[in-house]
Amino acid sequence: DGGITQSPKYLFRKEGQNVTLSCEQNLNHDAMYWYRQDPGQGLRLIYYSQIVNDFQKGDIAEGYSVSREKKESFPLTVTSAQKNPTAFYLCASSIEGAPNQPQHFGDGTRLSIL
Amino acid sequence: AQKVTQAQTEISVVEKEDVTLDCVYETRDTTYYLFWYKQPPSGELVFLIRRNSFDEQNEISGRYSWNFQKSTSSFNFTITASQVVDSAVYFCALSGANYGGATNKLIFGTGTLLAVQP
């Protein structure tokens, strides 16, 4: 089945450690996105990529980094510079980076601090 | 600036009741798009509907219906004869027409938690 796969489902980070969240899609979508969800808040955009080898910062990019070397993959690294990383992270994709295109989401990774 | 307000944090209904989830938006774009997503306990957001700013027709899909009113900047979602499986967090979202190099940036509301009791 086509879809977006995020792994792992749960992740724990130690102080000073970088961790990487995986996002893979087989929908042949050009655009991919990373969102952060905190309790009682809507989703906030971290990074997005409209095409391979290109990505842009969203609203809360500080402390995060991404790469887009393959169309199918858009990994997110939470660096030690992100002082409050505990959250639910959602990856999404759309056919193209156009405002009328619905985004399709993975089932998320929950990150916690040890 | 763009903004989406979902004033209802939580709603609890009994099965078979009708329920309306409110969504009010702000935008200066003349062309924009509104979305509703459902987030069940599993966490994945499921796309429900997209509405263009130039199409104010209401839409019905089974037990779901959407009422888009530009005059009041609202895009409300009604579930008729609610079922336990409708229990989820529902998000309203907005994107503008910054096409051509900008971003398909979705602005989300804070969500409404719907609990349908048997």
Side-chain angles (χ1 to χ4, degrees):
Chain A
D1 287 351
I4 299 175
T5 301
Q6 290 188 240
S7 62
K9 197 170 181 64
Y10 299 95
L11 187 58
F12 298 92
R13 195 192 89 169
K14 296 180 181 178
E15 290 289 336
Q17 185 183 42
N18 293 351
V19 291
T20 297
L21 284 60
S22 171
C23 177
E24 303 278 333
Q25 55 99 358
N26 60 3
L27 299 168
N28 200 33
H29 285 175
D30 283 322
M32 297 186 75
Y33 314 82
W34 274 106
Y35 291 91
R36 171 179 170 140
Q37 184 178 15
D38 293 282
Q41 297 192 34
L43 280 68
R44 292 182 291 167
L45 183 64
I46 304 172
Y47 268 99
Y48 65 96
S49 168
Q50 297 202 17
I51 200 167
V52 174
N53 293 322
D54 180 69
F55 51 83
Q56 304 294 329
K57 293 182 178 179
D59 296 322
I60 55 166
E62 187 175 348
Y64 300 97
S65 66
V66 293
S67 62
R68 186 86 186 277
E69 297 176 1
K70 297 187 300 182
K71 187 175 185 177
E72 308 79 40
S73 179
F74 191 40
L76 173 74
T77 297
V78 184
T79 74
S80 57
Q82 172 51 244
K83 298 306 179 187
N84 183 23
T86 297
F88 189 54
Y89 292 86
L90 284 157
C91 178
S93 70
S94 61
I95 293 174
E96 56 181 1
N100 64 332
Q101 294 297 321
Q103 295 179 18
H104 301 269
F105 287 80
D107 54 8
T109 293
R110 195 167 298 278
L111 176 61
S112 303
I113 295 271
L114 277 180
Chain B
Q2 296 181 315
K3 184 179 177 182
V4 175
T5 301
Q6 294 180 258
Q8 303 152 308
T9 306
E10 292 186 35
I11 300 176
S12 182
V13 299
V14 176
E15 212 170 14
K16 297 184 183 178
E17 284 186 24
D18 298 347
V19 58
T20 295
L21 309 182
D22 297 333
C23 173
V24 174
Y25 63 92
E26 296 175 30
T27 182
R28 292 181 180 177
D29 292 329
T30 53
T31 301
Y32 52 89
Y33 304 88
L34 294 160
F35 302 82
W36 275 96
Y37 285 87
K38 173 182 180 179
Q39 186 178 40
S42 59
E44 176 183 356
L45 265 74
V46 178
F47 165 69
L48 295 178
I49 191 172
R50 175 191 62 202
R51 174 59 70 207
N52 306 325
S53 56
F54 42 87
D55 181 2
E56 286 194 71
Q57 279 191 348
N58 292 330
E59 183 155 343
I60 298 174
S61 175
R63 295 184 298 107
Y64 295 171
S65 62
W66 290 270
N67 184 349
F68 175 36
Q69 292 194 339
K70 288 180 76 170
S71 60
T72 56
S73 297
S74 65
F75 186 43
N76 296 338
F77 173 29
T78 297
I79 301 175
T80 302
S82 60
Q83 300 176 2
V84 173
V85 293
D86 296 327
S87 297
V89 179
Y90 290 86
F91 289 97
C92 181
L94 165 72
S95 69
N98 275 337
Y99 195 69
T103 174
N104 178 14
K105 181 177 175 178
L106 276 177
I107 307 298
F108 284 86
T110 51
T112 296
L113 173 61
L114 174 64
V116 181
Q117 309 296 334

